[in-house]
Amino acid sequence: MSSTTTAAGIGPIPEAAPLSLCAREPHVPADRLVAEMVPPPRFDSVRFATYIPDPNQPSQTEAVGVLEGFAGGLGGAHAVGAPKRRLFGFGKAAKKSPAGPRGVYLDGGYGVGKTHLLASLWHATPAEPSLKAFGTFVELTNLVGALGFQKTVQTLSGHRLLCIDEFELDDPGDTVLVSTLLGKLVDAGVALAATSNTLPGKLGEGRFAAADFLREIQGLSAHFRPLRIDGEDYRHRGLPEAPAPFSDEQVTKTAYATDGASLDDFPHLLDHLARVHPSRYGALTDGVRAVCLTDVQPVPDQSTALRLVVLADRLYDREVPVLASGKPFDQLFSEEMLNGGYRKKYFRAISRLTALARDAKDIVHD
């Protein structure tokens, strides 16, 4: 029979302490970093068949057909050492680079199902998971940071397909880095698929213009066929209101009462994230079933904020509820940050943490 103790202000709690993210310093081998480049759990079960096109938007039905054909075209011999084929249209096999695009860019506004389609493409491609990769732009840049450029090229060159979700154009240096990487991979016969965000300061930020994407990736533009996906955003537009924070006592009691929960002071966690490479944030949350945070405060600077964005993405991918005290999540970032070049990332982090905070209401112990 498990024993209990009493903590000031929160009553009886189990003696077994919750986990602490701050106590974790994961060391992730390179092969795991690459092996984990698969659609996140939220998109484990999506397929082309589960994408329901809007009958008033014929481009959605067309996109499914084109992507199914694209996936089917990747089912032959591995690209490395094999004749390269055109992926769109028809043509004879060639020993040189294919005349047609080696990739597809999904061009559409928020909430039209681009990530659903991108993950469906990954699932539909007839190749072993080890021969196809799926990740966000940030995860790809983090992989380069962890492995080095040449090792990343060597590792991914054996793949048939690389899917990049949320290709980001707000950092010119990263854009050039990834564009150079993709050029090497295309030369090795790797097919590409991507979605993207909106350039900062653009009018109508609800959708991204394919012309901007193709211009920013410079020499890679010839390798992508833009595939427009029209439609209305199926999600609520604008930032949802963050739920009111709980008390320190409620958060602590819930952490002790919830199997697999972590408990950390928010400012200390932010400090800890600076000592862990962002490519390891997924491993940081291994086995964590709920994240409990006390004393949530606005982040102090942009570097800290960008690290928090990555952690929020990993928690959202894994559907880990977040219970917090202190300030609500819609007060994490300053007005200057929300009006700056990285505002898209900050809005995404607020939206995702807010969703996870709502999920956490089911585990609260009063």
Side-chain angles (χ1 to χ4, degrees), residues 30-31 33-35 37 130 143 147-159 185 190:
D31 56 351
L33 289 177
V34 178
M37 293 190 69
S130 60
L143 183 68
L147 301 186
F149 184 83
Q150 294 300 333
K151 180 64 174 179
T152 303
V153 172
Q154 178 184 355
T155 301
L156 295 180
S157 289
H159 286 57
L185 297 180
V190 181

Side-chain angles (χ1 to χ4, degrees), residues 218-240:
Q218 302 173 24
L220 272 178
S221 61
H223 297 296
F224 281 90
R225 170 184 173 176
L227 187 60
R228 182 166 178 169
I229 306 172
D230 296 308
E232 295 297 321
D233 188 343
Y234 69 88
R235 297 171 295 199
H236 176 70
R237 290 190 180 275
L239 282 176

Side-chain angles (χ1 to χ4, degrees), residues 28 57 65-66 110 130 150 215 227 232 240 247 254 262 266 283:
V28 184
Q57 302 291 348
V66 171
Y110 292 118
S130 60
Q150 294 300 333
R215 181 180 65 251
L227 187 60
E232 295 297 321
S247 67
T254 299
S262 65
F266 186 71

Side-chain angles (χ1 to χ4, degrees), residues 11 45 82 97 152 154 167 175 192 235 248 301 308 320 325 349 359:
S45 61
S97 297
T152 303
Q154 178 184 355
F167 199 111
T175 301
L192 308 173
R235 297 171 295 199
D248 286 349
D301 57 74
L308 180 60
V320 179
S325 67
D359 293 343

Side-chain angles (χ1 to χ4, degrees), residues 140 162 164 167 178-186 192 220 224:
L140 188 59
L162 172 61
I164 308 170
F167 199 111
V178 174
S179 294
T180 304
L181 170 65
L182 298 186
K184 297 287 188 182
L185 297 180
V186 168
L192 308 173
L220 272 178
F224 281 90

Side-chain angles (χ1 to χ4, degrees), residues 23-354:
R24 295 183 164 194
E25 295 185 6
H27 296 280
V28 184
D31 56 351
R32 173 177 168 176
L33 289 177
V34 178
E36 289 184 341
M37 293 190 69
V38 298
R42 194 173 289 269
F43 293 96
D44 269 348
S45 61
V46 301
R47 299 292 187 273
F48 288 128
T50 63
Y51 180 81
I52 309 300
D54 184 339
N56 297 317
Q57 302 291 348
S59 63
Q60 295 185 8
T61 300
E62 179 185 1
V64 172
V66 171
L67 291 172
E68 286 179 329
F70 183 75
L74 301 177
H78 189 277
V80 176
K84 298 179 180 179
R85 299 176 298 168
R86 295 181 61 180
L87 296 179
F88 298 97
F90 300 91
K92 295 181 179 180
K95 294 182 179 180
K96 298 181 179 180
S97 297
R102 288 290 299 174
V104 60
Y105 164 65
L106 307 185
D107 175 34
Y110 292 118
V112 297
K114 298 191 303 297
T115 301
H116 182 134
L117 290 172
L118 192 67
S120 298
L121 171 63
W122 187 92
H123 288 298
T125 297
E128 293 296 321
S130 60
L131 293 180
K132 48 190 179 179
F134 183 106
T136 64
F137 180 88
V138 171
E139 289 176 303
L140 188 59
T141 58
N142 287 340
L143 183 68
V144 175
L147 301 186
F149 184 83
Q150 294 300 333
K151 180 64 174 179
T152 303
V153 172
Q154 178 184 355
T155 301
L156 295 180
S157 289
H159 286 57
R160 292 188 191 171
L161 173 69
L162 172 61
C163 296
I164 308 170
D165 199 20
E166 299 175 349
F167 199 111
E168 298 183 354
L169 303 177
D170 45 22
D171 188 320
D174 282 347
T175 301
V176 172
L177 171 70
V178 174
S179 294
T180 304
L181 170 65
L182 298 186
K184 297 287 188 182
L185 297 180
V186 168
D187 288 343
V190 181
L192 308 173
T195 70
S196 185
N197 66 5
T198 310
L199 281 171
K202 295 291 290 185
L203 295 176
E205 290 191 358
R207 66 171 276 111
F208 183 84
D212 293 322
F213 174 79
L214 298 177
R215 181 180 65 251
E216 293 296 324
I217 62 174
Q218 302 173 24
L220 272 178
S221 61
H223 297 296
F224 281 90
R225 170 184 173 176
L227 187 60
R228 182 166 178 169
I229 306 172
D230 296 308
E232 295 297 321
D233 188 343
Y234 69 88
R235 297 171 295 199
H236 176 70
R237 290 190 180 275
L239 282 176
E241 182 178 356
F246 291 89
S247 67
D248 286 349
E249 291 76 15
Q250 287 174 306
V251 172
T252 302
K253 185 173 183 179
T254 299
Y256 275 86
T258 304
D259 184 40
S262 65
L263 175 63
D264 292 279
D265 173 72
F266 186 71
H268 290 166
L269 177 59
L270 295 183
D271 290 341
H272 184 62
L273 292 180
R275 297 188 290 271
V276 179
H277 193 278
S279 65
R280 299 171 181 171
Y281 287 3
L284 191 69
T285 65
D286 279 353
V288 176
R289 298 177 61 183
V291 167
C292 297
L293 301 171
T294 58
D295 194 25
V296 170
Q297 300 293 333
V299 294
D301 57 74
Q302 188 153 267
S303 295
T304 302
L306 292 173
R307 288 191 289 268
L308 180 60
V309 168
V310 177
L311 179 63
D313 286 342
R314 300 293 80 78
L315 293 174
Y316 184 79
D317 288 344
R318 290 160 175 75
E319 301 179 309
V320 179
V322 179
L323 187 72
S325 67
K327 299 292 185 182
F329 286 133
D330 55 11
Q331 296 181 26
L332 282 174
F333 308 109
S334 67
E335 286 299 317
E336 182 180 2
M337 290 180 183
L338 294 179
N339 290 322
Y342 295 111
R343 62 183 177 274
K344 300 288 294 184
K345 296 181 181 181
Y346 301 146
F347 286 147
R348 183 177 78 231
I350 292 172
S351 178
R352 291 184 167 186
L353 288 172
T354 295

